[in-house]
């Protein structure tokens, strides 16, 4: 079950943390993985890890906010590995640049664009670049790593990020409907607070999560393996909350 041999996956923002974990686990299930990151040296390091344990991977450096670069990056991935069957839209403001320091009422409009560009346009650009090939071949999987910030109200400074993530969730629902008859599924994972070296998480905050800990990349990667599999063919247009029980909608 959940076997991915013969499939080609593209994981964006996969040079570290959650995306790297997803790339490693998809490769472990047999997929050939195109590892994308804005910082190509990070992607190359993940490719080396995958190859070291016998997996197949290639690094593709591009910025998901630049549509022309996305199209060229997908072409490079496909030249190296073959047509993309599985897209995981993971690139996003998960780290230190994701949140604003002020309430929205005091924010500078110029500071909102980054969150929308990467978390919403990045998802749309990559989805647009792969969907026609998936439809032509009659099989595809698109998975977007969203956030609980896109499904509920959270803290001060999260509004632009939540707008980007919530927008991506809405986009995915419609994208799923449009392509359902073509054998392409599209789902979002609204993930909760992760253990992330670039974020300071207090012990009290971690304990407020019902299971008592923050998430690790494998918590998210396992859901990606399931959604990418043949067995998940009847799951589409969904937003699955993966958060240790912290958010239930
Ligand atoms: N960390 C959390 O607590 C948390 C919580 C909820 C949702 N998320 C979401 O999960 C995903 C992964 O989070 P993370 O903590 O691993 O993030 P991270 O910041 O640790 O890593 C993201 C990677 O994406 C790359 N990247 C950034 N912008 C890019 C772009 N425009 N094009 C290509 N690559 C780009 C970065 O170089 C980095 O290597 C993100 O979408 C994030 O919003 C994270």
């Amino acid at each position: 079950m959940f076997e991915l041999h013969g499939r080609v996956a593209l994981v964006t923002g996969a040079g570290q943390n959650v995306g790297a974990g997803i790339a490693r686990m998809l490769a472990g299930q047999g997929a050939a993985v195109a590892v994308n990151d804005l910082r190509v040296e990070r992607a190359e390091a993940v490719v080396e890890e995958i190859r070291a344990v016998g997996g197949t991977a290639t690094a593709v450096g591009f910025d998901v906010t630049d549509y022309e670069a996305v199209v060229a990056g997908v072409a490079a991935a496909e030249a190296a590995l073959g047509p993309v069957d599985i897209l995981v839209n993971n690139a996003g403001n998960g780290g230190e640049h994701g949140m604003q320091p002020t309430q929205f009422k005091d924010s500078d409009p110029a500071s909102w664009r980054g969150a929308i560009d990467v978390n919403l346009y990045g998802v749309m650009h990559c989805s647009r670049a792969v969907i026609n090939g998936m439809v032509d071949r009659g099989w595809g999987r698109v998975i977007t790593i969203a956030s609980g910030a896109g499904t509920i109200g959270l803290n001060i400074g999260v509004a632009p990020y939540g707008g980007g993530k919530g927008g991506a969730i809405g986009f995915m629902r419609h994208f799923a409907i449009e392509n359902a008859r073509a054998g392409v599924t599209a789902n979002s994972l609204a993930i909760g607070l992760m253990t992330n070296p670039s974020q300071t998480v207090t012990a009290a905050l971690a304990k407020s999560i019902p299971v008592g800990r923050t998430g690790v990349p494998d918590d998210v990667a396992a859901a990606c393996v399931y959604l990418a599999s043949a067995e998940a063919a009847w799951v589409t247009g969904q937003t699955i909350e993966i958060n240790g029980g912290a958010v239930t909608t």
Side-chain angles (χ1 to χ4, degrees):
M1 297 235 332
F2 314 138
E3 127 84 31
L4 300 176
H5 281 100
R7 298 293 182 198
V8 173
L10 167 62
V11 186
T12 67
Q16 64 179 20
N17 296 330
V18 175
I22 294 168
R24 282 192 292 261
M25 200 180 283
L26 292 177
Q29 291 302 112
V33 181
V35 180
N36 159 259
D37 206 282
L38 191 57
R39 305 261 302 264
V40 72
E41 71 283 1
R42 292 182 179 173
E44 285 165 348
V46 174
V47 165
E48 286 311 309
E49 286 177 45
I50 290 172
R51 289 181 179 164
V53 292
T56 302
T58 195
V60 279
F62 60 82
D63 180 345
V64 300
T65 69
D66 176 345
Y67 183 65
E68 300 305 322
V70 168
V71 170
V74 168
E78 296 195 332
L81 301 176
V84 172
D85 303 299
I86 300 159
L87 167 67
V88 182
N89 289 309
N90 167 79
N93 294 124
E96 67 272 33
H97 304 301
M99 310 302 157
Q100 306 293 318
T102 57
Q103 288 192 38
F104 184 75
K105 67 184 179 64
D106 303 318
S107 66
D108 177 355
S111 71
W112 309 336
R113 193 165 300 278
I116 305 300
D117 274 350
V118 67
N119 293 303
L120 177 53
Y121 272 101
V123 169
M124 295 171 73
H125 289 158
C126 295
S127 302
R128 177 69 176 81
V130 300
I131 187 58
N132 285 301
M134 291 178 176
V135 168
D136 288 347
R137 293 186 298 279
W139 201 95
R141 299 284 186 266
V142 180
I143 302 160
T144 289
I145 308 305
S147 168
T151 59
I152 63 156
L154 287 172
N155 307 319
I156 288 169
V158 187
Y161 174 73
K165 290 299 193 188
I169 288 170
F171 162 75
M172 289 291 287
R173 290 193 198 279
H174 296 280
F175 181 77
I177 300 301
E178 283 191 4
N179 296 296
R181 293 286 170 93
V184 179
T185 70
N187 295 285
S188 301
L189 299 178
I191 70 171
L193 191 61
M194 306 300 293
T195 307
N196 188 330
S198 64
Q199 288 172 312
T200 308
V201 176
T202 64
L205 196 51
K207 274 189 194 146
S208 74
I209 296 170
V211 304
R213 66 167 175 86
T214 50
V216 296
D218 281 0
D219 292 322
V220 179
C224 290
V225 166
Y226 168 63
L227 290 173
S229 71
E231 288 80 0
W234 212 47
V235 181
T236 197
Q238 304 305 306
T239 304
I240 303 173
E241 304 271 1
I242 297 189
N243 52 37
V247 177
T248 51
T249 54

